[in-house]
Amino acid sequence: MNLPARGRAAGKVILLGEHAVVYGRPALAAGLGLGLEVEVTASGGVLRVESDLASLADDPRPAALAAEAARALGLEPGGLTLRIRSGLPAGAGLGSSAALAIAVLRALAAAAGRRLGRDEELALGRRLEAIFHGHPSGIDPAAAAETGSGCIRFVRGEPPTVTALPTARPLPLVIALGPPRSTGAAVGGLRARWEADRARHERLFDQVAAVVEAGARAAEAGDLPALGRAFDENQALLEALGVSAPEVEALTAAARGAGALGAKLTGGGAGGAVIALAAEPERVAATLRTRQVETIVVRVGTAEEGKAA
Ligand code: MEV
């Protein structure tokens, strides 16, 4: 085995289409400059996972994920220690569990002297992400596997369809961090409501798909006001789907009040992060910070690498 070995993966923002993407509709995402790194070393005894994230300290899932990843790569999990260093807030909807899955796979593949092909990496990443939540579409591992902060259009499948979405200009975003929450609970709750009334939910998913396509055209053209409208329309549909929360709605209203062109939850919802599109994101972020909201400013899209601020 080649030890020590390292793997890295990025966090992500879902720009449009979360939740409906689980039901086969398209979604847009972008990689984040922030990411997560895993180092594998040899040690005696059972597999150990150490993390700088306090939230993972008593969580058995990273060790379960690492053991399953090791076995999938033909490695014996015993005798390995994995150290996680993360620049991503957990439970915010910024893809920390999928980034963990991809970084663990990359580190263990390097230890095994292998390089995973893209389809294999995404299929395994999705299988591992299911340890964190039951019905993953695969968009989070697909975005975590990207380098840079380009936008992608994603449709689930075996393998999924992942296409680059070039944007005429960088898309300036404020990420406002709300209270952490569980993606699994939000996805599971929506599944139960969908099972109880499929026709209503399928109609809402179709409306989300139309908003995603309009947003994709706006992003490609660099039309920020039109993309902002798509954010607001998507947020209204997420509220109708029951995956928003009062904290999210307070943050989207505050961002719009501070001059954002549109704002919505990102990722699992029910809390977590909000993204706001703004021509002057630093100004919107400064206003939100006066309300004790933690913010990150990024520019995603083709023309410029995203940078955390
Ligand atoms: C979570 O980041 C995105 C969801 O659409 C779930 C998934 O697609 O796996 C809520």
Side-chain angles (χ1 to χ4, degrees), residues 12 14 18-19 21-22 133 135-140 183 187 267-268:
K12 62 89 190 55
I14 295 187
E18 52 276 273
H19 285 289
V21 70
V22 174
H133 77 93
H135 300 280
S137 66
I139 189 171
D140 288 6
T183 294
V187 171

Side-chain angles (χ1 to χ4, degrees), residues 33-167:
L34 307 170
L36 179 153
E37 193 178 277
V38 172
E39 184 186 48
V40 191
T41 53
S43 59
V46 293
L47 174 135
R48 288 214 330 253
V49 175
E50 297 167 1
S51 170
D52 62 355
L53 286 176
S55 56
L56 290 185
D58 300 320
D59 189 336
R61 294 174 301 177
L65 183 152
E68 186 165 336
R71 281 188 214 101
L73 293 166
L75 296 173
E76 172 49 45
L80 297 176
T81 292
L82 283 79
R83 229 165 257 114
I84 306 166
R85 261 190 303 272
S86 179
L88 284 169
L94 301 179
S96 59
S97 40
L100 179 64
I102 297 292
V104 165
L105 279 172
R106 287 179 174 172
L108 290 171
R114 285 186 57 189
R115 208 182 149 75
L116 294 173
R118 192 189 201 215
D119 288 351
E120 193 184 2
E121 187 175 75
L122 293 192
L124 283 173
R126 185 166 152 227
R127 196 170 107 194
L128 297 177
E129 201 201 355
I131 293 174
F132 279 84
H133 77 93
H135 300 280
S137 66
I139 189 171
D140 288 6
E146 294 287 314
T147 48
S149 56
C151 294
I152 57 168
R153 181 180 187 279
F154 176 96
V155 182
R156 77 176 293 173
E158 301 289 345
T161 309
V162 186
T163 39
L165 184 87
T167 63

